[in-house]
Amino acid sequence: RKQAPEYSTSSSDEEFESKPSLTHKAKRALRKRRKLEKETKQLIKQEELKRLHKAQAVQRQLEELEERQRALEIFGVKLERELRGEADSGTKDENQMLHEWFELVMEKNKLMRYESELLIIAQELELEDHQSRLEQKLREKMAIDGKSEGTMCSSPQGQTVP
């Protein structure tokens, strides 16, 4: 009696079965890329919120600073009138009024320096926000370019064909 011929599996068949399919790898890579994109978007959003909160804090400080400057201005006008003798200075002598005037000028200069610092911080935040938007546009363009390259397939000769 003849035995039925046995079909042996080639080593290439075994290798093919042991390796995940190409589509499975592509799906896994796609999931990984999407997860990375999602995490990146979350980080961008967090940074954007931090900048927003910082900008709001700077704005509040600028408003408070403006109020303090107005109060100093009013006090300065009153003190200047007293120094000129246009207003009743009460029991204050001229040395005391001059001392108050110089303290007022120093305080005003300090507030102006602080205002300059706050304006620099605000400008810095605007630049960071602008940079973030530009980086986002670049990522979107790179993703579009990557997708258009991904839709191209390779020919057996190793050439990329649309």
Side-chain angles (χ1 to χ4, degrees), residues 9-37:
T9 59
S10 70
S11 63
S12 63
D13 287 342
E14 290 172 2
E15 287 176 21
F16 181 74
E17 290 174 5
S18 66
K19 292 182 180 178
S21 70
L22 198 55
T23 58
H24 180 68
K25 284 184 180 179
K27 286 180 183 178
R28 196 172 349 145
L30 182 63
R31 279 195 303 267
K32 189 174 183 180
R33 190 178 85 223
R34 285 183 181 159
K35 182 179 179 185
L36 184 62
E37 287 173 358

Side-chain angles (χ1 to χ4, degrees), residues 141-153 160-162:
K141 287 186 185 257
M142 290 176 69
I144 290 171
D145 290 345
K147 287 179 183 176
S148 65
E149 288 177 12
T151 59
M152 302 172 95
C153 59
T160 305
V161 182

Side-chain angles (χ1 to χ4, degrees), residues 53-136:
H53 291 306
K54 194 172 181 180
Q56 288 172 339
V58 167
Q59 187 63 37
R60 276 192 306 274
Q61 290 172 344
L62 282 169
E63 289 169 1
E64 291 171 6
L65 184 75
E66 190 176 325
E67 288 177 27
R68 287 173 47 197
Q69 285 176 329
R70 268 191 246 124
L72 282 178
E73 187 68 31
I74 292 169
F75 182 68
V77 168
K78 179 184 167 199
L79 189 59
E80 189 176 342
R81 285 184 180 154
E82 289 175 1
L83 279 169
R84 289 184 184 165
E86 296 174 7
D88 183 31
S89 61
T91 58
K92 294 182 186 177
D93 66 344
E94 189 174 347
N95 286 337
Q96 185 182 3
M97 287 189 290
L98 285 173
H99 181 72
E100 286 179 15
W101 174 257
F102 287 120
E103 284 182 1
L104 178 77
V105 170
M106 285 181 7
E107 180 69 19
K108 196 170 181 182
N109 288 338
K110 184 175 104 176
L111 291 177
M112 288 175 63
R113 281 191 307 272
Y114 184 55
E115 180 182 29
S116 295
E117 289 174 18
L118 289 174
L119 291 173
I120 289 170
I121 292 170
Q123 185 179 21
E124 189 177 288
L125 288 170
E126 287 178 21
L127 290 172
E128 287 175 6
D129 191 49
H130 183 67
Q131 178 185 2
S132 177
R133 285 193 305 269
L134 290 175
E135 287 174 352
Q136 180 62 30

